[in-house]
Amino acid sequence: MAPHLTFAPEGVVHPGAINPEDISAVSKPIAVSGTEILSVRNLSKIFGPKPERAAELVRRGLGRNEIFEQTGNMVAVNDVSLSVKAGEIFVVMGLSGSGKSTLVRLLNRLIEPTSGQVILEGRDIAPMSTSELREVRRRKMAMVFQSFALLPNRTVLDNIAYGLEVAGEKKAERYEIARSALTRVGLGSYEKLLPSELSGGMQQRVGLARALAVNPSVLLMDEAFSALDPLIRFEMQTELLRLQKEEQRTIVFISHDIEEAIKIGGRIGIMKDGCLIQVGTPAELIQSPADKYVRDFFRNVDVSRFLKASSLMTTADRGLITCDVGSPCERYLNQLIDSGVECGYVCDESGHYQGCVTPASLHKMGTRPLRDALLRDVNAVSLDADLHELASIALSQEHDVPVTDTTGKLAGVVSCRTILKQVMERRAA
């Protein structure tokens, strides 16, 4: 294939039940990653007598406090719609009283909704019978509570196997599954101990293992780490991310801690007064907050480490050179000059990044191979390089920073201007 130089306008890049005969099924994702597994449509919960009166006032645009004063009803969740993708950690966060814990309990009908739908794997939970709902809770939607909720008179292993026991699994099979789940959370040697003999962090790991044992489609975690000491909490967050990397679980995680949310959340939904204010990736919320309420969450947080190259980069189409690096430099000089870019990014025919060139480096090498014109002082970064790393590199080199994916292909570039802008915004905040 003949080598060629491509120029184009720049664009922003944004990034069931366990089979007892196959214990390995415990660690397999339920649905194809990225597909919608849970959908919430216009979900509302109004506590108090005659909620229809409060619902009418909501439609008229009255605020939560006004409605409570007039009716005695509390609008805990107000017309929330969202979707959760298979394999993601979706964090719902907000201040105390924002409605986040009520929302997570509406998902599995621990609290009955006033209106709206919760669609799990294509089925609406609202019209389900008691027996159908019980099966959903046993097999499809496991929950990890803040209070651990372990049975004090049962051993660690018995606690983990409890859900499988209720579901009717045979003893040998449920204990084999329970041991597997216990090992995955790093407590394989503690199965005979009672909960009272474990630290708080260990007890929460047992609660997590119990939920994992039933292999749920969706794992609900209601402020699961908030009662833990800071160090243990950090360890549990790291453990959850490790398990997520291995198993690609679908998790809805409730939190009031913005640092926790941006550490573990693939996407974050921020709630206020029962309403869902904004949903986005951490980078989207940081860079484009919907309002002052969302912006204030990040006021005292060093968000630089959460701004990644993947969310700051633009495509390199205007200066993309796809060719054999053995081709003569002079073939590309005029085209690079005409494009108006200061730097060209060289990739082979498979898209793997080789290095970058400038009109000056091409002119200097003339008829020599393109590889001889590659600049040696331009460093590429990975997609998850944070703003600190990008700023350090930008200070040491003259040109924009190339970004490569895990296979070494060019994903885009981050301009030095973008890096400087983000650094200045962080300092101003």
Side-chain angles (χ1 to χ4, degrees), residues 1-5 322-324 327 331-332 349:
M1 183 180 296
H4 62 277
L5 180 64
T322 304
C323 70
D324 181 343
S327 304
R331 183 178 300 182
Y332 305 101
E349 295 293 343

Side-chain angles (χ1 to χ4, degrees), residues 54-336:
E56 176 59 29
L57 295 179
V58 169
R59 287 190 287 272
R60 294 182 189 176
L62 271 69
R64 192 188 207 184
N65 292 337
E66 293 176 283
I67 293 172
F68 180 74
E69 290 175 1
Q70 292 188 29
T71 68
N73 294 104
M74 174 55 65
V75 182
V77 173
N78 182 9
D79 196 30
V80 168
S81 295
L82 59 86
S83 64
V84 180
K85 299 174 184 177
E88 78 168 326
I89 300 180
F90 187 99
V91 177
V92 180
M93 69 160 302
L95 302 177
S96 178
S98 63
K100 57 189 185 298
S101 290
T102 301
L103 176 61
V104 76
R105 284 165 170 76
L106 291 172
L107 298 182
N108 61 0
R109 274 180 59 192
L110 286 178
I111 296 176
E112 291 289 341
T114 302
S115 61
Q117 293 178 297
V118 177
I119 312 296
L120 174 64
E121 295 181 328
R123 292 191 63 196
D124 188 0
I125 290 178
M128 286 184 178
S129 65
T130 301
S131 60
E132 288 176 314
L133 184 59
R134 186 180 298 118
E135 189 65 16
V136 165
R137 292 172 181 165
R138 287 175 178 172
R139 298 295 195 182
K140 300 291 186 180
M141 266 193 193
M143 194 162 186
V144 181
F145 297 92
Q146 176 182 345
S147 60
F148 311 148
L150 301 179
L151 300 172
N153 61 330
R154 290 192 173 220
T155 66
V156 165
L157 189 63
D158 285 331
N159 265 280
I160 296 172
Y162 180 71
L164 297 169
E165 178 183 345
V166 172
E169 298 287 354
K170 294 180 180 179
K171 184 175 181 179
E173 292 157 349
R174 67 175 181 258
Y175 279 125
E176 187 171 359
I177 294 171
R179 286 190 177 94
S180 175
L182 188 60
T183 298
R184 295 207 309 283
V185 299
L187 294 178
S189 60
Y190 293 83
E191 64 177 56
K192 295 182 180 179
L193 297 182
L194 293 173
S196 60
E197 298 175 286
L198 302 177
S199 68
M202 288 180 176
Q203 290 182 45
Q204 194 59 288
R205 286 176 187 247
V206 175
L208 179 57
R210 179 176 58 190
L212 293 175
V214 298
N215 196 30
S217 300
V218 177
L219 181 60
L220 307 177
M221 303 185 72
D222 184 17
E223 303 229 34
F225 305 151
S226 62
L228 303 175
D229 293 334
L231 181 58
I232 298 175
R233 184 174 187 175
F234 178 83
E235 291 175 352
M236 285 301 299
Q237 292 166 357
T238 303
E239 177 69 12
L240 181 65
L241 290 174
R242 182 190 67 79
L243 288 169
Q244 181 67 1
K245 185 176 181 180
E246 292 177 358
E247 303 183 6
Q248 290 295 290
R249 295 276 172 181
T250 304
I251 301 172
V252 178
F253 192 102
I254 306 302
S255 178
H256 65 270
D257 185 333
I258 187 62
E259 292 224 26
E260 179 173 70
I262 55 184
K263 176 180 179 179
I264 69 173
R267 290 188 301 147
I268 302 170
I270 295 184
M271 294 192 69
K272 177 186 179 184
D273 294 339
C275 299
L276 188 63
I277 304 300
Q278 186 175 5
V279 175
T281 65
E284 288 168 347
L285 297 177
I286 292 168
Q287 295 180 75
S288 302
D291 57 18
K292 184 178 182 297
Y293 177 78
V294 176
R295 186 181 301 111
D296 284 348
F297 271 106
F298 303 96
R299 184 174 298 279
N300 297 315
V301 178
D302 177 13
V303 299
S304 300
R305 64 191 185 278
F306 302 108
L307 287 173
K308 305 295 186 180
S310 57
S311 64
L312 298 175
M313 69 184 184
T314 58
T315 60
D317 291 342
R318 286 181 57 196
L320 178 61
I321 301 174
T322 304
C323 70
D324 181 343
V325 292
S327 304
C329 294
E330 62 183 3
R331 183 178 300 182
Y332 305 101
L333 177 57
N334 289 335
Q335 290 173 293
L336 189 57

Side-chain angles (χ1 to χ4, degrees), residues 21-38:
E21 298 179 0
D22 182 9
I23 303 305
S24 65
V26 174
S27 62
K28 293 179 181 178
I30 305 302
V32 177
S33 181
T35 61
E36 183 178 282
I37 190 171
L38 178 65

